[in-house]
Amino acid sequence: MIKKSLTILVLVIVARVDIAQDIVCFKECVAASAFSAENIHRIRSLGVEGPWDVIDFRWHKTEPILFMLSNWRSTEKAGTPGTDLEMWEYGDRGHKSRNFLIRGPFTQLEVTPGAVVSGTDRGSLLFGDIKQEEMLHEFQVSDGKVSELLLHPSKAWLLVGINNAKLYQIDLESRSAAENRLQGAEETALHALSFSSNGKPLAVGGNETIWIWETGSWETWGPQRLPNESIEDLIFTEDDSHLIVLTDASVSRWSLANERLRFLRKLVARPGKRHCRIADGDISPDGSLLMTTDTCGQSRAWDLAADQEIYVPQLDFSEDSRPGTAVVFSPDGRLLAEVANAHWVLLIVWEPA
């Protein structure tokens, strides 16, 4: 079904109307350029219809297709509650969306080149064929709730977290599962997981600690403690030489040289910014720009060459009633999807005619 862009939604999501009027993009706006630290000042928003209450979303690895999970609330007439899985395709003529599954027990989402994989609250994975737009089979991993799904860059296997406590490696060809008992991590809560682009190091954050494991041998480089800091996200830089760490209200850069994780510096925030918990972040495909979202509804841009925040007038606001939870670039960097107050929008770089 075709869904039209809604300017009204952006006015609801953006706290101040004067900013919203400056950032909203109309029909003549197309995603012609990829995001970078140099052009972030031209950021604009495309208002999009529901779903509401988005809990997870992932881009297809090569196509401008966005999959998302959203909580579906029951009514007396509609039936039982659950989670919907939707697929959105973006093109120059607008957005096309359709339901993939409705009212399932879904908790997490991952996308392979040909399939969408949904984790459930009963410890299983549902595999769906993207072209056929239907679920094919269910695979039981373990008892518990799927708390994390992460595709290895080789696209040959998945990491599956259960109850933030156990990790399983799923071979996508054989559909076999093996538990990974990570050296030294028995007492670590597995909250933030990230592969490097070459797939060799795996970064894990939890219990105020960062670990790095080599995926071939599963040997660890040793933990780094961050006392009194909650680790929200871990992101490898484009060349895998550094790890960007999002902790509470700060962003920091860590070196990975000589198989040793070492703190380098905190990125410099703009004066006057509220110190709010940074919930999520993503780096543009060109490696120059980090975008973050936080619990105060602040969308923030960071120049990774200068390691400092960029002032963007359109994004210079905060609103406690619309906390941000997720932000992800499309594979080509032309689209930025963001969730705030459980609503989602698409952001682009506007190119004036």
Side-chain angles (χ1 to χ4, degrees):
M1 149 178 126
I2 303 294
K3 294 189 177 182
K4 296 183 293 183
S5 298
L6 293 180
T7 301
I8 295 175
L9 177 61
V10 180
L11 297 179
V12 171
I13 291 177
V14 179
R16 284 175 22 202
V17 174
D18 58 327
I19 295 174
Q21 289 173 338
D22 190 40
I23 197 174
V24 173
C25 221
F26 297 96
K27 291 182 180 180
E28 68 270 14
C29 294
V30 296
S33 300
F35 277 92
S36 72
E38 293 185 356
N39 64 24
I40 184 62
H41 302 90
R42 298 199 300 270
I43 191 170
R44 294 292 186 274
S45 176
L46 301 175
V48 182
E49 287 191 32
W52 319 128
D53 205 5
V54 175
I55 60 175
D56 194 16
F57 62 174
R58 299 287 177 100
W59 286 101
H60 189 275
K61 305 306 176 184
T62 57
E63 303 295 330
I65 303 174
L66 187 66
F67 294 86
M68 63 180 67
L69 297 178
S70 59
N71 283 325
W72 184 89
R73 292 184 172 86
S74 66
T75 65
E76 186 174 343
K77 295 181 179 180
T80 58
T83 308
D84 290 351
L85 169 60
E86 289 195 19
M87 181 171 70
W88 284 71
E89 291 184 83
Y90 177 85
D92 291 340
R93 296 184 179 180
H95 310 81
K96 181 170 66 173
S97 71
R98 46 195 178 273
N99 286 330
F100 210 94
L101 274 179
I102 59 172
R103 292 188 289 284
F106 315 125
T107 59
Q108 293 290 318
L109 187 65
E110 185 56 283
V111 181
T112 72
V116 56
V117 186
S118 303
T120 72
D121 59 8
R122 54 177 180 254
S124 63
L125 302 179
L126 290 171
F127 289 83
D129 186 276
I130 294 175
K131 289 185 178 180
Q132 297 180 33
E133 297 183 25
E134 63 180 15
M135 301 310 289
L136 300 180
H137 62 275
E138 184 172 5
F139 178 77
Q140 189 66 39
V141 179
S142 177
D143 294 332
K145 172 184 175 181
V146 175
S147 54
E148 183 65 58
L149 274 179
L150 191 62
L151 180 66
H152 188 262
S154 69
K155 302 177 179 60
W157 52 277
L158 277 169
L159 269 185
V160 180
I162 301 292
N163 294 332
N164 296 117
K166 294 182 178 180
L167 278 183
Y168 290 83
Q169 185 172 330
I170 310 299
D171 186 283
L172 293 176
E173 182 175 0
S174 64
R175 296 286 197 272
S176 60
E179 184 177 356
N180 279 352
R181 299 182 181 274
L182 300 178
Q183 174 190 347
E186 292 80 5
E187 304 301 322
T188 297
L190 308 172
H191 287 301
L193 286 78
S194 179
F195 282 119
S196 65
S197 61
N198 64 21
K200 293 180 180 179
L202 168 71
V204 178
N207 292 355
E208 303 178 350
T209 305
I210 304 173
W211 297 77
I212 302 289
W213 280 276
E214 289 287 347
T215 57
S217 62
W218 292 108
E219 294 180 353
T220 181
W221 296 5
Q224 290 287 342
R225 293 273 299 164
L226 283 72
N228 303 316
E229 291 189 271
S230 175
I231 300 166
E232 303 300 331
D233 201 5
L234 303 169
I235 314 170
F236 286 88
T237 56
E238 182 187 23
D239 60 1
D240 294 335
S241 63
H242 296 93
L243 186 69
I244 302 299
V245 179
L246 310 185
T247 56
D248 292 332
S250 67
V251 180
S252 58
R253 179 185 290 272
W254 294 65
S255 169
L256 297 167
N258 302 317
E259 297 187 355
R260 178 171 171 256
L261 182 62
R262 182 171 58 89
F263 173 79
L264 293 179
R265 68 188 71 90
K266 285 189 176 182
L267 275 63
V268 179
R270 284 196 59 81
K273 283 291 185 179
R274 296 179 63 185
H275 293 277
C276 305
R277 181 178 64 82
I278 297 177
D280 193 35
D282 197 20
I283 296 176
S284 60
D286 78 341
S288 70
L289 175 69
L290 168 70
M291 293 295 297
T292 63
T293 186
D294 63 29
T295 55
C296 294
Q298 297 177 122
S299 296
R300 302 171 68 177
W302 307 80
D303 185 337
L304 291 181
D307 277 354
Q308 64 183 21
E309 187 174 0
I310 305 169
Y311 174 64
V312 182
Q314 302 96 304
L315 303 180
D316 191 29
F317 66 92
S318 67
E319 178 56 52
D320 292 344
S321 65
R322 52 171 301 275
T325 55
V327 56
V328 187
F329 284 101
S330 64
D332 61 7
R334 295 190 305 126
L335 299 165
L336 179 64
E338 181 177 277
V339 175
N341 196 28
H343 303 305
W344 74 282
V345 295
L346 280 177
L347 300 163
I348 67 170
V349 173
W350 177 61
E351 296 288 351

